[in-house]
Amino acid sequence: QSALTQPASVSGSPGQSITISCTGTSTDVGGYNYVSWYQQHPGRAPKLMISEVSNRPSGVSHRFSGSKSGNTASLTISGLQAEDEADYYCSSYTSSISVVFGGGTKLTVL
Amino acid sequence: QIQLMQSETEVKKPGASVKVSCKATGYTFTSYDITWVRQAPGQGPEWMGGMNVNRGNTNYAQKLQGRVTMTADTSTNTAYMELRNLRSDDTAVYYCTRDPGAATFDIWGHGTMVTVSS
């Protein structure tokens, strides 16, 4: 199972909005509404930010939202804050009864 | 407070085995699956497989079949992941996660660094 495709890096200024894409195939992202997004700060464990494409767990800021169209899922962060600077990973359930992660996107807040 | 507490750093030689533990607190251990995820230095996470703690059945990543075993002790609320015949490319941080379903990992342990080096 190949890793999901994410841009290596994105950047934005405080207050702006950014979107991170996550592209898979019809056997993973496109086939199931089981896409999650994780935030990871250096030296820390990943933290769940979005589940099942667009569900935001309790305690996660409303500035984070998720969506999906075809084989591509997206994470949007609005009102960028310095604390949002981190690595972001998507993941998806697959037809092989497994989970595949993306390669990760480094978000820089300028 | 819901937590997953993992065992400490391990250094192993190629060909050896490692067993990482993960003690769950703050929730009903048997109500959730435990999934293991590893992350090599500078890389993205990699799904290793998971276990239904209540029923005991497991589902392993194809590339690890035959080398990995996931178990759980419901009397101590502790999950275990054993990886055998270690190679240098098994060097990674190993995380246990709570899996409520829908391929979601909502609680993560702090990670256990496993280094494989001769």
Side-chain angles (χ1 to χ4, degrees):
Chain A
Q1 187 74 41
S2 299
L4 304 176
T5 300
Q6 298 182 233
S9 64
V10 298
S11 63
S13 300
Q16 288 186 330
S17 295
I18 63 96
T19 297
I20 300 171
S21 62
C22 170
T23 301
T25 68
S26 60
T27 62
D28 40 62
V29 174
Y32 308 92
N33 288 325
Y34 293 153
V35 176
S36 298
W37 289 91
Y38 300 88
Q39 175 192 67
Q40 186 176 34
H41 288 109
R44 303 294 297 274
K47 174 188 176 184
L48 178 67
M49 305 303 284
I50 296 289
S51 66
E52 296 181 75
V53 176
S54 59
N55 292 346
R56 196 172 40 250
S58 173
V60 172
S61 171
H62 286 196
R63 298 184 299 105
F64 291 82
S65 62
S67 63
K68 190 185 86 165
S69 177
N71 296 336
T72 298
S74 299
L75 173 72
T76 297
I77 309 175
S78 59
L80 268 181
Q81 299 179 0
E83 68 206 47
D84 300 332
E85 185 162 294
D87 293 325
Y88 290 85
Y89 296 95
C90 61
S91 71
S92 174
Y93 181 75
T94 84
S95 60
S96 302
I97 317 179
S98 64
V99 175
V100 62
F101 283 88
T105 298
K106 181 176 181 59
L107 169 62
T108 301
V109 180
L110 301 170
Chain B
Q1 184 182 3
I2 298 172
Q3 284 187 316
L4 296 172
M5 297 299 295
Q6 298 186 224
S7 47
E8 294 307 313
T9 298
E10 299 266 13
V11 180
K12 297 291 184 179
K13 293 193 183 302
S17 298
V18 69
K19 191 170 185 177
V20 179
S21 67
C22 169
K23 182 174 176 61
T25 60
Y27 73 95
T28 302
F29 184 56
T30 52
S31 294
Y32 296 83
D33 290 2
I34 291 286
T35 290
W36 291 84
V37 175
R38 69 180 180 179
Q39 188 171 26
Q43 303 298 312
E46 178 187 12
W47 178 82
M48 300 180 66
M51 178 179 187
N52 182 298
V53 171
N54 192 42
R55 295 195 296 268
N57 54 300
T58 54
N59 177 29
Y60 301 140
Q62 188 173 12
K63 68 178 287 188
L64 298 175
Q65 289 275 1
R67 290 205 300 137
V68 68
T69 300
M70 296 174 187
T71 57
D73 183 345
T74 56
S75 70
T76 61
N77 292 350
T78 303
Y80 300 90
M81 187 285 299
E82 181 181 33
L83 190 60
R84 299 176 293 279
N85 194 18
L86 289 167
R87 308 187 293 242
S88 59
D89 62 355
D90 291 319
T91 293
V93 177
Y94 287 74
Y95 295 100
C96 60
T97 75
R98 189 179 80 163
D99 180 352
T104 297
F105 314 126
D106 65 348
I107 303 295
W108 292 62
H110 55 78
T112 297
M113 181 70 214
V114 176
T115 300
V116 182
S117 174
S118 55

